[in-house]
Amino acid sequence: MKLKRFRGKVGKESVAAKFAAATAANGFSIQEEKPYAELWMGTHPSLPSKDLETQRSLLDMVQDNQALMSPEITKKYGGKLPFLFKVLSIRKALSIQAHPNKQLAEQLHSRDPKNYPDDNHKPEMTIAVTPFDGLCGFRPLAEIAHFLHTVPSLRKIVGDSAAGEFEKAIEGRATSSSEQDMKSNKKALQMAFSALMTSGKSDVRSAAQDLVASAKEEGDKFAGGGGPSNDGKELADLVVRLNGQFEGDIGLFVLFFLNYVKLEVGEAMFLKADDIHAYLSGDIIECMASSDNVVRAGFTPKYQDIPTLTNMLTYSYAPISEQKMHPTDYPYVKLNTTAYSSNSSAILYDPPIEEFSVVRTELNKSGAKATFEAIQGPSIFICTGGHGKISVGPKTEEVKEGYVFFVGATAEAVLKSAADQFTTFKAFCELGHEAQQNGA
């Protein structure tokens, strides 16, 4: 269990805490007054998972036996699991952040290992297990221009000159698909966003007071009634809520540049390295390349590296619909008759990278069974609801909410429900899987 002070949900409201307590080791028990934010599953050196019976770390186990991950994956990823699997329970906004690409991660780690503890990139995928909201990627340019025009305090903090240059630069080509126009648009967006992020702290605090006052007074008329993605009342409520958590923070203005995304249970989004985001609330399953590198720039008392952030971002801009993933049926699982008749499912979330994919399995009747074909790579299963059994080879184990299992390469795994609802998530890596799935 990894804790983030003040950010996680408190006590048993935290899904991460409940799952951690299900197979508690070292005397862990949930304290009702404490926040619990993250449960980690994997081999990351700062918090490797451990075998419940032997207390051996998963990192030691896969390094001692290369067959558990496959020799190919062991060689490519240095004897460590390619992915880090997490459960997050978010009560208070996490920092505005991005994760570096591989080349930048190597540079940052070499230059500042204290703040950038490893040399790996960190693309990540988020799947909601309760209703979730967050900021994800830059809004369409016309929406940003609309807010610069209708939110006086935003325009003031960006600067009238910088705002005007942005509006002029994108005029008539905000939605152009021309490579030259898109390059020009990204440059204009970078200049405007950098102007915001380099504002003086006293100026930000003063402008934030005006912003919050407007949000409270104007209601549904706030921000010119909002943009196509979010209405004025929704934005006003968001400003007031976030100001209650981080009073006078630069993040109150950043939200007008970023998509405000809501995910219902089962919905997901994928963030490439160098994509800006901030998770605001909810419980999620998160899978990422195995790294703990974070470049922060708002909603945090921690180290902020604004020059690195403003220079590293892709400045890609797109509507909310393009931020969400579109899962498909997982083809390498067999459901028995009971599973089919109860509308059970195994859904694949398959991002365009090779380090990880995730399968969400829902067995909707006692006796429903899902048989996962053996793959040439490792898997981690976690149960998020109901109960049942998992069988790998001759061994069968009971599965309850919060139980986590590692399954080695080339092993078939069978899930069988003992209730009318049995939900699991499986993170896995198989080299070549992404290319096969996408027809490359």
Side-chain angles (χ1 to χ4, degrees), residues 2-3 19 41 50 64 66 90 98 107 120 131 133 136 165 177 194 199 221 244 269 320 339 346 390 422 432 438:
K2 183 178 178 71
L3 306 180
F19 290 173
M41 298 162 281
K50 294 182 179 180
D64 286 350
Q66 294 187 8
I90 306 157
Q107 295 171 2
N120 201 16
D133 68 341
C136 175
E165 289 176 9
S177 58
S194 297
S199 302
K221 295 180 180 179
M269 61 183 182
I320 290 173
I390 184 170
F422 182 38
N438 291 288

Side-chain angles (χ1 to χ4, degrees), residues 411-432:
E412 180 184 85
V414 181
L415 295 174
K416 185 175 182 180
S417 180
D420 288 341
Q421 182 261 329
F422 182 38
T423 302
T424 63
F425 287 84
K426 166 192 171 178
F428 68 96
C429 174
E430 185 177 32
L431 296 182

Side-chain angles (χ1 to χ4, degrees), residues 227-369:
S229 303
N230 313 112
D231 62 37
K233 182 66 164 57
E234 185 175 48
L235 290 169
D237 290 346
L238 183 61
V239 166
V240 173
R241 169 183 147 201
L242 293 176
N243 186 65
Q245 298 176 6
F246 294 94
E247 186 175 0
D249 193 90
I250 188 69
L252 301 177
F253 297 98
V254 172
L255 69 87
F256 293 102
F257 277 77
L258 306 186
N259 285 303
Y260 176 49
V261 181
K262 291 183 176 181
L263 299 180
E264 296 301 323
V265 175
E267 288 190 309
M269 61 183 182
F270 174 68
L271 298 161
K272 302 185 296 293
D274 302 332
D275 275 354
I276 189 169
H277 59 283
Y279 297 161
L280 302 181
S281 70
D283 299 286
I284 59 174
I285 293 287
E286 189 178 38
C287 199
M288 63 197 66
S290 188
S291 171
D292 198 25
N293 286 325
V294 184
V295 183
R296 301 178 180 87
F299 291 152
T300 181
K302 293 183 178 181
Y303 173 70
Q304 299 187 37
D305 192 348
I306 290 172
T308 296
L309 183 89
T310 55
N311 286 319
M312 70 184 275
L313 298 176
T314 62
Y315 290 99
S316 297
Y317 48 91
I320 290 173
S321 59
E322 294 185 25
Q323 305 293 331
K324 293 183 179 180
M325 297 187 71
H326 303 283
T328 58
D329 289 337
Y330 181 57
Y332 304 115
V333 64
K334 295 179 181 178
L335 302 180
N336 69 358
T337 301
T338 304
Y340 274 116
S341 65
S342 59
N343 200 31
S344 299
S345 62
I347 302 299
L348 173 68
Y349 301 85
D350 195 27
I353 56 170
E354 68 178 8
E355 282 94 337
F356 62 85
S357 298
V358 174
V359 177
R360 179 191 187 210
T361 304
E362 291 189 306
L363 299 178
N364 298 326
K365 190 173 182 179
S366 181
K369 184 188 295 185

Side-chain angles (χ1 to χ4, degrees), residues 71-100:
E72 294 79 12
I73 289 176
T74 297
K75 181 179 179 180
K76 181 163 187 175
Y77 294 102
K80 299 173 184 176
L81 205 64
F83 59 84
L84 178 59
F85 206 21
K86 293 184 182 182
V87 179
L88 269 63
S89 293
I90 306 157
R91 173 182 57 90
K92 185 176 181 180
L94 304 186
S95 60
I96 295 167
Q97 61 185 253
H99 307 297

